[in-house]
């Protein structure tokens, strides 16, 4: 897990760079124009080898079988790129980067443990049909 976190953090620093012109242009855009993520979806960033990802998905499938998740595998280039966009957009600190990452509307959960279940339930209420 530490290797994954370190690799993700390193990738974030390399890809964000220090391009002042791009930063100024991005600041001028509104958040909705920049967003790669719909507030009407739940994004589940995972790794095939992450036991916490499997625990989170098992919990969600058992408690909310009708909720649709947009699954994003961070082990492929496109998924990793989306993860970095999520980290940037949701202002997730570098030492917190890992899987699973759940984007739920304007909220996020990084990681999974039984004590996260209540917070997940609070965030997911608008998506329960």
């Amino acid at each position: 897990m530490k290797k994954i976190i370190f690799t993700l953090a390193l990738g974030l620093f390399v890809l964000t760079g220090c391009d002042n012109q791009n930063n100024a242009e991005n600041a001028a855009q509104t958040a909705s124009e920049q967003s790669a993520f719909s507030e009407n979806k739940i994004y589940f960033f995972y790794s095939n080898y992450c036991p916490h990802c499997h625990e989170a998905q098992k919990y969600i499938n058992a408690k909310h079988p009708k909720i649709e998740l947009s699954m994003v595998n961070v082990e492929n280039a496109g998924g990793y790129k989306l993860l970095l966009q999520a980290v940037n957009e949701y202002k997730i600190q570098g030492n917190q980067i890992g899987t699973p990452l759940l984007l739920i509307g304007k909220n996020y959960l990084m990681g999974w443990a039984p004590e996260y279940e209540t917070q997940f339930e609070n965030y997911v209420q608008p998506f329960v049909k």
Side-chain angles (χ1 to χ4, degrees), residues 4-19 23 80-98 101 110:
I4 292 172
I5 292 171
F6 176 76
T7 302
L8 293 173
L10 182 61
L12 175 65
F13 292 121
V14 169
L15 292 176
T16 55
C18 295
D19 185 350
N23 290 340
Y80 183 72
K81 183 180 177 182
L82 275 176
L83 174 69
L84 295 178
Q85 285 179 285
V87 166
N88 189 38
E89 186 171 324
Y90 283 75
K91 297 175 179 41
I92 300 170
Q93 299 299 313
N95 62 349
Q96 297 176 346
I97 301 169
L101 168 62
M110 177 69 68

Side-chain angles (χ1 to χ4, degrees), residues 18 34 51 57 61 65 71 76 94 96-97 100 104 114 116:
C18 295
Q34 296 183 47
Q57 188 171 17
N61 289 342
M71 303 297 290
N76 65 52
Q96 297 176 346
I97 301 169
I104 310 163
Y116 285 38

Side-chain angles (χ1 to χ4, degrees), residues 10-11 29 34 47-48 57-58 65-66 70 72 80 83 89 104 114 121:
L10 182 61
Q29 292 179 334
Q34 296 183 47
S47 167
N48 293 326
Q57 188 171 17
K58 183 178 176 180
K66 294 183 180 183
S70 295
V72 182
Y80 183 72
L83 174 69
E89 186 171 324
I104 310 163
E121 292 299 329

Side-chain angles (χ1 to χ4, degrees), residues 3 22 39 42 63 65-66 74 79 100 106 108 126:
K3 285 183 181 181
N22 269 347
E39 289 184 16
I42 298 175
K63 296 286 184 174
K66 294 183 180 183
V74 301
K106 293 182 180 183
Y108 74 88

